[in-house]
Structure formats: C-alpha cells, structure tokens
Amino acid sequence: MNLYKDLKERALKCNLEIPKHGLAIYTFGNVSAFDPHRAVFAIKPSGVPYENLKADDMIIVDLDYRVVEGKLRPSSDTKTHAVLYRHFQGVGGIAHTHSTYAVAWAQANKAIPIFGTTHADHLQYDIPCTGQMNDEMIRGDYEEETGKQIIKTFEHLSYKEIEMVLVASHGPFTWGATAEKAVYNSAVLEEIAKMAYLTLQINSDAPLLKSTLIEKHYQRKHGSDAYYGQIEGE
Amino acid sequence: MNLYKDLKERALKCNLEIPKHGLAIYTFGNVSAFDPHRAVFAIKPSGVPYENLKADDMIIVDLDYRVVEGKLRPSSDTKTHAVLYRHFQGVGGIAHTHSTYAVAWAQANKAIPIFGTTHADHLQYDIPCTGQMNDEMIRGDYEEETGKQIIKTFEHLSYKEIEMVLVASHGPFTWGATAEKAVYNSAVLEEIAKMAYLTLQINSDAPLLKSTLIEKHYQRKHGSDAYYGQIEGE
Amino acid sequence: MNLYKDLKERALKCNLEIPKHGLAIYTFGNVSAFDPHRAVFAIKPSGVPYENLKADDMIIVDLDYRVVEGKLRPSSDTKTHAVLYRHFQGVGGIAHTHSTYAVAWAQANKAIPIFGTTHADHLQYDIPCTGQMNDEMIRGDYEEETGKQIIKTFEHLSYKEIEMVLVASHGPFTWGATAEKAVYNSAVLEEIAKMAYLTLQINSDAPLLKSTLIEKHYQRKHGSDAYYGQIEGE
Amino acid sequence: MNLYKDLKERALKCNLEIPKHGLAIYTFGNVSAFDPHRAVFAIKPSGVPYENLKADDMIIVDLDYRVVEGKLRPSSDTKTHAVLYRHFQGVGGIAHTHSTYAVAWAQANKAIPIFGTTHADHLQYDIPCTGQMNDEMIRGDYEEETGKQIIKTFEHLSYKEIEMVLVASHGPFTWGATAEKAVYNSAVLEEIAKMAYLTLQINSDAPLLKSTLIEKHYQRKHGSDAYYGQIEGE
C-alpha cells in the first residue's frame, strides 16, 4: 500500500476542480495538498492536461523541494508552494489558477476593493496584490522568490484571515486549511473579481463596504458565534 | 406521511433552479416556499452545497423564526424571508441569489433603470436598490433588519408590481405568488441587470423606455386584457 | 395526415435553436416558418417554455392574423410576423429573440457599426435600429405597428441584403429565405453585436471596415461568383 | 489505403477543437494540417458545419493551391494557408478562428499588449496586428494577399517565436509545429485577448510586463534549460 495514496487522491480531486469551475484552460494552474505529519505535499505534474491526470501522476515533494516520490516532473510552481507551506503554519492546501478576472486584476496591478457582502463573507479586507518583484529576484530562484514576495506582502496581514493574493502581473494564489478549501477560495476569488470589475464599470465611485457590514458578514460565518453553515461534528 | 412533504419538495426543486440558471456558486443563495394555511415556510439549510440537497434537508420555519421541523440549521437569511412573508401578503415564495450582474448593481448602490421591453414585460419601474442600513441595524438583529429595510424601500412602491429588490452592497431578493415565480424572477433580474449594464456601456445617455411602451408591454402580459401566454384553466 | 405537419415540425426545430444557442431564457423569443403556397405560417405558442414545446403546439396563422389551426394562443408577436411576411416577398422564416448583446444595442438605440469581416460576411451595412414608435402606434395595434415600423426602416434599405433589424428599446428581429436561415441570422447577429461592443470598448475610435473589404467579403459569399461554401445541387 | 488518411484524421480532430473551445460558431474558422514530405495540407471544406464534418470531407491541397484529393471545395481561406506554409518553414499546422475577443482586438486595429505571465508563457512580444491591406490587394487575389500581408507583418518579427497574428478588421491566424499546436494557440490567444481587454478596463495605465519577467516565463517554458512540462522521450 502506497504511503501517499490518500494524499495523491485528494490532490487529484482538487486539481480537477480547476477545469470544472472554469478556472484555467489546458495545463494552466495547479493545486497541492499538504500532509503536516510527514511534511510533504502532493502536487500536479508540470504541463499535463487535466483530462489525462491520474492520482498516481501526482508528485510527492518535501519542504526542501526534493521529490520524495513520483515519476514525473512536479509543477514549475512547486517551490512557491513549498515556501508558503514553510511560512504559513496550518495551511493544508494551496491553489494557483489563471482564472480570467483574477488575472486581469493582477495584470492591472490593483488590489480588489471590498465592495460587497459576497466578499465580506470570505474576508474582511481588500484582496492584496503584491508589489513587483525586482530583477534580482526574477533572475534568481524565481519560484522561491515568488513565495517570498507573497510572504512579504503578508508582513502586516494575516494569512489566516486573507487566504488569497494576486501576484502582480501574474495571477492568483489561494490557500486554506485543506486543499479543498484552497481551490474553493480560487473559485470564490474569481467570482469576487468579476463582481468588483462590474461594480466599477457601473459606478466608478462605488463605495467600499462599511465596516459594520464587513464585520457582521465575516463574523456570522467565521466568528466564535458564527451561525452560517452547520455545526460540525453534530 | 409527513405534513410538509409537498412544501419541502417544492422548496428543493426551486433551490435547484439556482445552480441550474447559474445564479450562485457553491452554497450561496437560498429559496423558500410558503404555506399560507399553516403559516410556515420551507427553506434551504445553511451552507449546504446544492448538489447534496435532499427534500428532507429543507427546514420548516414559522413566521416567528421558530424551527417547526428539520434537523439542520436553516439558512442564515431565514429571518429576512420571515419578515417579508409577514408584510407581503400573498407572496408564496422568496429567492435570494448572488447572481453576478445583479450583485454588481447592488454593490454599485444603483437602481437598475428601465431601458427596454424585456424589463417592462416584468415590471414598470426601475428595480429599486435599498439605502444603506445604519450601524444599529447591522449590529442588531441583522437579518430581521434586512427584511425591514426592504419593507421600508417599498413604503411607496408596490411589492405586487415590483417583485424584486437589490439590497445595497449585498445582492438581490425576489419574490412572487409561488416559489417557482420567485426564482424565475431571480433569473429574469440577472438577465435585465446584464442588459442594462451593457446598454450603458454602449450609450451612457441611453434613453429610459417611454411610458407608453412600459405600459403596453406590462399590460399585455399582466393587465386585465393580457394576451401574452395561455389562458389558465383552459 | 395533417396538412401542416412539415411546417410545424420545421417551426419547432427552429424555435429550439433559440435556447440551444443561448438566445433567450424561459419563454422569450419566437420563430415562425412560412408556407408561401398556402400563405400561412407556423409560429410558437405564447408563453410556453421551450423545453415543453411539441410540434403539435405550433399555431398555423394566415396573413390576416387568423388562426387556421392550433389549440393554443399564438405568440403575442404574431402580427409583427404577418406584416413582415406580407411586405417582404420571398422571406420564408422570421425569428425574434431577446439575445443579450443585440438587446443592449437596441436599448442603446444605436445601429451596430460594421467593424469587421465577420459582419461583412453576412451583410454590407450597419445593422439598422428603428426609430422610436410614436404613442399612437404603441397604444394602437402595437404588434402590427411594430411590423410597420420595421417596414418603414427598410424604406431605403434592402430587406434581402439586410436580414436583421433592432427594434429600438426592444430587441432584434431577423429573417431569411427559410426559418433555419432566420434563426441562424439571430445567432450571427448576437455574435456581431458582442464583437462590436468589445471593439468600441477597446478602441472608441475603431475604424469602420473599408468599402473594398466589405464588398470582397460579401461578394465571395453572396455574389454571382461566390466561392464560399459548397455548390448547391452538386 | 488512402495516402492521406492520417493527415485528414488529424485535420478533422483539430478542426473539431474550434467548437469544443468555443472559438467560432456554425461554419466559421478552419484548421489545416501540413505534410512536409508530400508538401500538401489537409483543410476543412468551405462552409460545412463542424457537427457534420467527417475525416473524408477534408481536402488535400498542394502549395500551388491545387486540390490533390477531395470532393468538396476547400475553405475559402485556403490560399492564405498555402502562402504561410510556403514562407514559414517548419510550420505544421495553421488555424483561423473568429473567436470573440481576438476578433474585437483585430477590429479595434490594435496589437495585444503583453500584460502578464500568461502571455509571456507563450510569447515574448505584443501579439501583432497587421496594417490595413490596400484596395489593390483586396480586389486582387485576396486570400493570397492576406497571406502576404501576414508575411510582411513578420518582416522584422520571428514567426517561430510569435505563432499568432491579428489580421486587421478580420481576425486571428495562428500556427505551430503541428496542427494541434496551431489550434492550441488559437485558444490561448483568445484567453490572452480577454485578459488584456479586462486589464485595460480595470486600469487604463496598466504597466507592460517587465522584460525580466517576460524572459523568465518564456525561457522556463521554451528555453534550452526549460523546466516547464515533461521531458519528451522519457
């Protein structure tokens, strides 16, 4: 019995959510699932179309970027995932997509303003956009540096409260306690990105969501007295 | 035999119209079906994905917000539905979605202007957007207050002639004589919202529909001499 | 054997192209198929959802608006179809949809400029938008007047070369030698309407297609020396 | 056994990618597959709907525009394909679509600026738009001249590094080492075209991608030390 069978199946299932939700075409994008006990993650192989993916194609990689198991090359973004797992304690999954509206905001080099309750149901802040990486970072260990650029963006932000970021001129990375949550966040981000785009087209002076509404919507779903969703374990 | 079997099945069927028409992703949105004789309504449980919903998951709630039957927690928007049923006599169903274009107008804090006959086929007025709720309302019994904010918006408007509203910075609520009509109105609202958005992008001075056309289109479908559709009962 | 069996089946098939190509939701829109020998046309019944339509539901109507056969009420737009059949010799089918981008141009009260060869492959002119109907026309025999307004718009235009029109603040009507061609024109119009919309968003000074290109593309498909498509009868 | 069986089947398969990826409606667009040994290509017949296409419908044409085999008329764009095969050594497939966003940029007569890494993953330059063809070219051997206009556009550009072009006021042509790659490029171009459109709507001053990022993303996928994708032959 393969040690990583469950982890690979989970990673496969979550990678397949990307084409299912229209978050990328062809081979674009990737999801990884982390096993905190073994300190390894399963990630999509590089450049393989989603329709051909099998659980056994997933690559097991440790936090020092070493392939632990797998016949194929891991995603070219593997080091970015590893850096985030090293720094973001408690994160169990990471997703990277090229979803159209989120990429457009990233290419516009703009954070996504918090305009409504759909946004506040998931996070209380604008969705941050990193600064541009400098040439040294880009010419150096690029994917590692991409991870570090994200970490730097969260210096004064909480990665537990904001489970998503736009890498400037590139596209979105999202994460969560599980790989399922990470890819869910990618789909939610794309929807929020589209809504915010349309909002500004309709009203370029659209008001930001007022702080009481932000707090209310976030707390009713995520606070200690949350009443959205079902009580787990019941 | 369960007393509420029919009501639950109807609520289930109408909730499933939401993903079918692309009006929300994941667990967003909810529809309820009202039984005026028992003064209860069946509503979607909170935070349960549409693909997993069964009729028996629907929650039966009375107009004082009490759960009459059901094992799961009802939608977090349940009180808003109850307030509307209490005040809008004759309404048999309510739908709340996060459909993209309707939400964009709500986030823009703008009523949707009546630009064409697709709009006038359904209502003779701009689709209203509520004012912002004040902090006291938001910090108080929020979902009840959301219902009251809608009622206030209809102080000088007819909820029978305008079966839809945008809650500012939040999204659309729609209703109708039946739950089927309520969710139909959600899909129609989304289409009208998209058409109005595009109209203004093409011509920022687009004229409002002239009053004779508004009246003609509305009356041929809803007036005493309506000739749109089939004669019921025949 | 029903005299109108073939005509009804053809009308049904063409009506079903409307939801298949996403040209209208629910019951919106209608297609008719004309039989020039009997001077009658088969048209969709009013307000019946596409998913429930059967060939036998189609209504046979003559050019004086009389129902010749059929148990249901014909489309509320029936008189508009009849007026067009009376005036547009050789037209064998008419389609009316509420397709999103075409409606947006109609609501913007703007003709669709000829920006590219996709447009010129089908017609050599801007797609006209009628003027506003006056109040007398609207309060009078509205659907008949709608047909007359279209006729008036074509006073100095050729309905054989321009098989489509936007009725101001309403939406598109298209026609052709057959019902199949009429509904094909509706789908093509929607695509052209979307392309023209995007073109102006990208470049508000986008140039109209030059006349040599207009002529070339139209003639290679429709001229006496056309070489697009297969030679019929071979 | 037919000499061209494989080539025709490949051309069919790649033509069917056009409707699958939503790159054209009805009969619009065409893909050809080139056999360098026999110096012929298989191309879609003119004006035949995709849903009816069979491998045997593909036409075999040589580089002097002569039909070598096939009962139907080849695509009206056949000469454009032939010109490109004659001048672009090593190209094994060509695709022409009417995809909505790429056509909109072509109609806007604008090159698509390189705004992000999705673009740089595929090419290091703006996607060029040809100049307008003059009247002599249009009235002359139009499709041949269209090919020549593309060749002229690449006078100082590399067709191996830029496998796509917008023909002004018309639409996109793409190519590649294989027909599969050519049609892949059509889908990628459409996605890049949409992202660039949205980017400018969000931020009309969006910065072009910096040169280090362009080089990094292109080289990691296409350079001698590329590490994107799997090593072929392994």
Side-chain angles (χ1 to χ4, degrees):
Chain A
M1 246 299 282
N2 185 291
L3 261 181
Y4 306 111
K5 188 168 178 289
D6 284 358
L7 195 65
K8 286 178 178 177
E9 282 176 356
R10 196 164 190 181
L12 173 66
K13 197 189 81 180
C14 291
N15 271 290
L16 295 181
E17 292 285 298
I18 287 183
K20 182 181 159 189
H21 287 275
L23 302 175
I25 60 171
Y26 293 112
T27 65
F28 306 1
N30 43 74
V31 183
S32 67
F34 186 58
D35 177 342
H37 303 296
R38 296 196 173 86
V40 298
F41 57 94
I43 193 165
K44 181 171 168 288
S46 184
V48 176
Y50 290 102
E51 54 199 31
N52 302 337
L53 278 187
K54 293 183 296 290
D56 212 45
D57 294 334
M58 299 296 124
I59 318 300
I60 303 295
V61 184
D62 72 16
L63 296 186
D64 296 317
Y65 317 142
R66 285 179 300 231
V67 169
V68 173
E69 187 181 293
K71 280 162 285 182
L72 300 168
R73 264 188 194 171
S75 163
S76 57
D77 297 312
T78 295
K79 287 183 182 177
T80 311
H81 288 242
V83 170
L84 296 183
Y85 284 125
R86 283 206 306 258
H87 287 78
F88 288 175
Q89 283 280 326
V91 162
I94 295 169
H96 169 52
T97 80
H98 284 243
S99 69
T100 316
Y101 287 84
V103 165
W105 281 94
Q107 293 188 163
N109 282 250
K110 296 266 186 200
I112 303 177
I114 182 164
F115 283 131
T117 61
T118 313
H119 189 137
D121 282 337
H122 296 91
L123 70 165
Q124 301 183 76
Y125 307 91
D126 293 352
I127 297 166
C129 184
T130 69
Q132 290 285 339
M133 290 162 70
N134 66 38
D135 289 351
E136 209 176 333
M137 295 169 79
I138 296 168
R139 291 207 190 92
D141 202 339
Y142 172 63
E143 290 81 9
E144 182 179 79
E145 296 290 352
T146 301
K148 288 180 181 172
Q149 186 74 356
I150 294 173
I151 303 297
K152 190 180 156 197
T153 305
F154 279 78
E155 220 165 16
H156 304 293
L157 298 173
S158 162
Y159 71 85
K160 295 198 173 175
E161 294 192 353
I162 305 176
E163 298 182 325
M164 50 188 74
V165 71
L166 305 172
V167 175
S169 303
H170 185 158
F173 281 83
T174 63
W175 50 86
T178 61
E180 285 80 0
K181 183 69 191 309
V183 73
Y184 166 88
N185 281 335
S186 287
V188 165
L189 166 54
E190 178 64 3
E191 186 65 18
I192 292 172
K194 185 170 184 186
M195 286 170 171
Y197 161 74
L198 293 169
T199 300
L200 283 176
Q201 297 286 316
I202 295 170
N203 181 0
S204 58
D205 292 322
L208 294 181
L209 193 62
K210 54 195 292 192
S211 57
T212 39
L213 264 179
I214 292 176
E215 199 183 332
K216 180 68 195 179
H217 267 264
Y218 190 75
Q219 294 303 328
R220 79 174 190 170
K221 203 161 171 178
H222 305 278
S224 52
D225 298 324
Y227 51 91
Y228 182 94
Q230 304 302 321
I231 300 164
E232 290 175 47
E234 280 197 319
Chain B
M1 248 297 282
N2 186 292
L3 260 181
Y4 306 111
K5 187 168 178 288
D6 286 357
L7 195 65
K8 286 179 180 178
E9 282 175 356
R10 196 164 192 181
L12 172 67
K13 197 189 81 179
C14 291
N15 271 289
L16 295 181
E17 292 286 296
I18 287 183
K20 181 181 160 190
H21 287 275
L23 302 175
I25 59 171
Y26 292 111
T27 65
F28 306 0
N30 43 74
V31 183
S32 68
F34 187 57
D35 176 343
H37 302 295
R38 295 194 174 89
V40 297
F41 57 95
I43 194 166
K44 180 171 169 285
S46 183
V48 177
Y50 289 102
E51 55 199 31
N52 302 337
L53 277 188
K54 293 184 295 291
D56 213 45
D57 294 335
M58 299 296 124
I59 318 298
I60 303 295
V61 184
D62 73 16
L63 296 185
D64 296 317
Y65 317 142
R66 283 177 302 228
V67 171
V68 173
E69 188 180 293
K71 279 163 284 181
L72 300 168
R73 264 187 194 171
S75 163
S76 56
D77 296 311
T78 295
K79 287 184 182 177
T80 311
H81 289 242
V83 169
L84 296 183
Y85 285 125
R86 283 206 305 257
H87 286 78
F88 288 176
Q89 283 279 326
V91 162
I94 295 169
H96 169 53
T97 80
H98 284 244
S99 69
T100 316
Y101 287 83
V103 164
W105 281 95
Q107 293 189 162
N109 281 253
K110 296 265 187 201
I112 302 177
I114 181 164
F115 283 130
T117 62
T118 314
H119 189 135
D121 282 338
H122 296 90
L123 69 165
Q124 301 184 76
Y125 308 90
D126 294 352
I127 297 165
C129 184
T130 70
Q132 289 285 339
M133 291 162 68
N134 66 38
D135 290 351
E136 209 176 334
M137 295 169 81
I138 296 168
R139 290 206 190 93
D141 202 339
Y142 172 63
E143 290 79 10
E144 181 178 80
E145 296 290 352
T146 300
K148 288 182 181 170
Q149 184 74 356
I150 295 173
I151 303 297
K152 190 179 156 197
T153 304
F154 280 77
E155 220 167 14
H156 305 293
L157 299 173
S158 161
Y159 70 87
K160 295 197 174 176
E161 295 193 353
I162 306 175
E163 297 181 325
M164 50 189 73
V165 72
L166 305 173
V167 175
S169 305
H170 185 159
F173 281 81
T174 63
W175 50 86
T178 61
E180 285 81 0
K181 184 70 190 312
V183 73
Y184 166 90
N185 281 335
S186 286
V188 166
L189 166 54
E190 178 63 4
E191 187 66 15
I192 292 172
K194 185 171 184 185
M195 287 170 170
Y197 162 75
L198 293 169
T199 301
L200 282 176
Q201 297 286 316
I202 295 169
N203 182 358
S204 58
D205 292 321
L208 293 182
L209 193 63
K210 54 194 293 192
S211 57
T212 38
L213 265 179
I214 291 175
E215 199 183 331
K216 181 67 195 178
H217 268 265
Y218 190 76
Q219 294 302 328
R220 78 174 190 170
K221 202 160 172 177
H222 305 278
S224 52
D225 297 324
Y227 51 91
Y228 181 94
Q230 304 302 322
I231 299 163
E232 289 175 46
E234 280 197 316
Chain C
M1 247 297 283
N2 186 291
L3 261 182
Y4 306 111
K5 188 168 178 287
D6 286 357
L7 196 65
K8 286 179 181 178
E9 282 175 357
R10 195 163 192 181
L12 172 66
K13 197 190 80 180
C14 292
N15 271 290
L16 295 182
E17 292 285 298
I18 288 183
K20 181 181 161 190
H21 287 275
L23 302 174
I25 59 171
Y26 291 111
T27 65
F28 305 1
N30 44 74
V31 183
S32 67
F34 186 57
D35 177 343
H37 303 296
R38 296 198 173 86
V40 298
F41 57 94
I43 193 164
K44 180 171 170 286
S46 183
V48 176
Y50 290 102
E51 54 198 33
N52 302 337
L53 277 187
K54 293 183 298 289
D56 212 45
D57 295 335
M58 298 297 123
I59 317 298
I60 304 296
V61 184
D62 72 16
L63 296 186
D64 296 318
Y65 317 142
R66 284 179 298 230
V67 170
V68 174
E69 186 180 295
K71 279 163 283 181
L72 300 169
R73 264 188 194 171
S75 163
S76 56
D77 296 312
T78 295
K79 287 184 183 177
T80 311
H81 289 243
V83 170
L84 296 182
Y85 285 125
R86 283 206 305 257
H87 287 77
F88 289 176
Q89 283 279 327
V91 162
I94 295 169
H96 169 52
T97 80
H98 285 244
S99 71
T100 316
Y101 287 83
V103 165
W105 281 94
Q107 293 188 162
N109 282 251
K110 296 265 187 201
I112 302 177
I114 182 164
F115 283 129
T117 62
T118 313
H119 188 135
D121 283 337
H122 297 91
L123 71 165
Q124 301 183 78
Y125 308 90
D126 294 352
I127 297 165
C129 183
T130 69
Q132 289 285 339
M133 291 162 69
N134 66 37
D135 289 351
E136 209 175 334
M137 295 170 80
I138 296 167
R139 291 208 190 92
D141 202 340
Y142 172 64
E143 290 80 11
E144 182 180 77
E145 296 290 351
T146 300
K148 289 181 180 170
Q149 184 75 355
I150 294 172
I151 304 296
K152 189 179 157 198
T153 304
F154 279 77
E155 218 165 15
H156 305 292
L157 299 172
S158 161
Y159 70 86
K160 295 196 173 176
E161 295 192 352
I162 306 175
E163 298 181 326
M164 50 189 74
V165 72
L166 304 173
V167 175
S169 305
H170 186 160
F173 281 82
T174 63
W175 50 87
T178 60
E180 285 81 0
K181 183 70 189 314
V183 74
Y184 166 89
N185 281 335
S186 287
V188 166
L189 166 55
E190 178 64 3
E191 186 66 16
I192 292 172
K194 185 171 184 184
M195 286 170 171
Y197 161 75
L198 293 169
T199 300
L200 283 176
Q201 296 286 317
I202 294 170
N203 182 359
S204 57
D205 291 321
L208 292 183
L209 193 62
K210 53 194 294 191
S211 57
T212 39
L213 265 178
I214 291 175
E215 199 182 331
K216 180 69 195 176
H217 267 264
Y218 190 76
Q219 293 302 329
R220 78 173 191 171
K221 204 162 172 178
H222 305 278
S224 52
D225 297 325
Y227 50 93
Y228 182 96
Q230 304 302 322
I231 299 164
E232 288 176 47
E234 281 198 317
Chain D
M1 248 297 285
N2 186 290
L3 261 181
Y4 306 111
K5 187 169 179 288
D6 285 358
L7 196 65
K8 286 179 180 178
E9 281 176 356
R10 197 163 190 181
L12 172 66
K13 196 189 81 178
C14 291
N15 271 290
L16 295 181
E17 291 286 298
I18 288 183
K20 181 181 160 189
H21 287 274
L23 302 174
I25 60 171
Y26 292 112
T27 66
F28 305 1
N30 43 74
V31 183
S32 68
F34 186 57
D35 177 343
H37 303 296
R38 297 198 173 84
V40 298
F41 57 94
I43 193 165
K44 181 172 169 286
S46 185
V48 176
Y50 290 102
E51 55 198 33
N52 302 338
L53 278 186
K54 293 183 297 289
D56 214 43
D57 294 335
M58 299 296 123
I59 319 298
I60 304 295
V61 184
D62 73 15
L63 297 185
D64 295 318
Y65 318 143
R66 284 180 298 231
V67 170
V68 173
E69 188 181 294
K71 279 163 284 181
L72 300 169
R73 264 188 193 170
S75 163
S76 56
D77 296 312
T78 295
K79 288 183 181 176
T80 311
H81 289 243
V83 170
L84 296 183
Y85 284 124
R86 284 206 304 260
H87 287 78
F88 288 176
Q89 283 280 325
V91 161
I94 295 170
H96 169 52
T97 80
H98 284 243
S99 70
T100 317
Y101 286 84
V103 165
W105 281 94
Q107 293 188 162
N109 283 252
K110 296 265 186 198
I112 303 177
I114 182 165
F115 283 131
T117 62
T118 313
H119 188 136
D121 283 337
H122 296 91
L123 70 165
Q124 301 183 77
Y125 308 91
D126 293 352
I127 297 165
C129 184
T130 70
Q132 288 286 340
M133 290 162 71
N134 66 38
D135 289 351
E136 210 176 333
M137 296 170 80
I138 296 167
R139 290 208 189 93
D141 203 339
Y142 172 64
E143 291 80 10
E144 183 179 77
E145 297 289 353
T146 301
K148 289 181 180 170
Q149 184 74 355
I150 294 173
I151 303 297
K152 190 179 157 199
T153 304
F154 279 77
E155 220 166 14
H156 305 293
L157 299 174
S158 162
Y159 71 87
K160 294 197 174 177
E161 295 192 352
I162 305 175
E163 299 181 326
M164 50 189 73
V165 71
L166 305 172
V167 175
S169 305
H170 186 159
F173 281 82
T174 63
W175 50 86
T178 61
E180 286 81 0
K181 184 70 191 308
V183 73
Y184 167 88
N185 282 335
S186 287
V188 166
L189 166 53
E190 178 64 4
E191 186 67 16
I192 291 172
K194 185 170 183 185
M195 286 170 171
Y197 161 75
L198 293 169
T199 300
L200 282 176
Q201 296 286 316
I202 295 170
N203 181 0
S204 58
D205 292 322
L208 293 182
L209 194 62
K210 55 195 291 192
S211 57
T212 38
L213 263 180
I214 291 175
E215 198 183 332
K216 179 69 195 177
H217 267 265
Y218 191 74
Q219 294 302 329
R220 78 174 191 170
K221 202 161 172 179
H222 305 278
S224 53
D225 297 324
Y227 50 92
Y228 181 95
Q230 305 302 322
I231 299 165
E232 289 175 45
E234 279 197 317

